[in-house]
Amino acid sequence: MFSHIQIGARDLPKMVAFYDAVLGCLGLERIEGENDSGPPGEGWRRPGKHWPQVFVQLPFNGLPATWGNGMQVSFAADSPQTVRAAWEQALAMGGFDEGPPGPRPQYCEGYFGAYCRDPEGNKLCFIHAPDMHE
């Protein structure tokens, strides 16, 4: 559905530490040696896969990064336990609670999700749904 997600950062080291910890819970690993000739940043993806990718980077235009009101990045998890682990790790790394782990049947049968904001205010969702990994 998408090739990559770009998340702007003001405090790059803090954001990289946050996403290393949180995305590691979801089975993503940091991309080594990636250089797009742009500003400093880091990327993650599933082991053995090239796409999709997630990047945290200083903005290309040189202006400070800001969070988008109404924007959310949602990450697929392989189980409700993984949803809970990613959310707990996000809060432990300086994220903010936007909705604890739990079922949300209003979205679909079997939907289990959790919501938070990263240390710079970007809204994240971790979700497990029955047909997501088919």
Side-chain angles (χ1 to χ4, degrees):
M1 181 180 290
F2 64 90
S3 65
H4 64 285
I5 296 170
Q6 189 87 18
I7 300 171
R10 292 183 304 274
D11 183 340
L12 188 59
K14 182 175 184 175
M15 291 287 277
V16 168
F18 176 88
Y19 282 96
D20 261 344
V22 173
L23 297 180
C25 290
L26 300 171
L28 279 69
E29 61 185 19
R30 185 143 13 132
I31 300 168
E32 296 298 327
E34 185 79 10
N35 182 352
D36 63 3
S37 301
E42 296 292 341
W44 294 262
R45 63 182 171 216
R46 294 214 179 276
K49 304 284 185 184
H50 190 78
W51 304 105
Q53 302 172 352
V54 177
F55 286 92
V56 173
Q57 195 166 17
L58 299 176
F60 275 74
N61 66 4
L63 298 174
T66 59
W67 54 270
N69 187 30
M71 198 261 333
Q72 173 179 289
V73 178
S74 301
F75 294 96
D78 60 4
S79 70
Q81 294 79 13
T82 302
V83 167
R84 186 176 306 281
W87 180 82
E88 288 173 353
Q89 187 68 6
L91 298 187
M93 294 298 296
F96 304 93
D97 179 17
E98 285 282 327
R104 291 181 172 74
Q106 69 271 30
Y107 300 134
C108 75
E109 185 177 336
Y111 185 109
F112 190 91
Y115 302 84
C116 69
R117 291 193 183 266
D118 72 16
E120 293 191 4
N122 299 293
K123 190 170 182 183
L124 308 176
C125 172
F126 309 110
I127 171 182
H128 172 74
D131 61 351
M132 189 171 273
H133 294 282
E134 293 178 352

